[in-house]
Amino acid sequence: MSDTANKKVKVSDYIYEMSIKENPKLWAREILSYSFNNNERSKGSEYVKFHGYALEDTSKQMLDFYLDRCEA
């Protein structure tokens, strides 16, 4: 992720930060280097789920939030 992004969105130690000013080819190379490491991706996914940020959990939270607002 960009090194200028809010640090609160870094929910895992498996996130790599890089300057947005870097060459796009360097960004692509970094992204591809991580995309082929399924073991690390699996660990990152488990870490995110453990801390309550699984897609299933957060989408339900958002749905409940908006439904509550509509009923008010």
Side-chain angles (χ1 to χ4, degrees), residues 3-55:
D3 61 354
T4 60
N6 188 318
K7 302 305 179 206
K8 291 180 181 180
V9 301
K10 189 175 181 180
V11 297
S12 167
D13 292 335
Y14 296 98
I15 295 174
Y16 179 75
E17 296 176 61
M18 186 179 350
S19 172
I20 197 72
K21 296 177 183 177
E22 287 289 346
N23 185 308
K25 289 183 180 183
L26 180 59
W27 271 86
R29 195 174 315 131
E30 287 296 322
I31 291 167
L32 288 173
S33 75
Y34 287 97
S35 68
F36 294 113
N37 190 343
N38 288 330
N39 188 35
E40 290 299 315
R41 287 176 57 108
S42 176
K43 288 180 190 175
S45 176
E46 292 170 16
Y47 185 93
V48 168
K49 285 181 182 180
F50 179 78
H51 286 86
Y53 294 102
L55 178 62

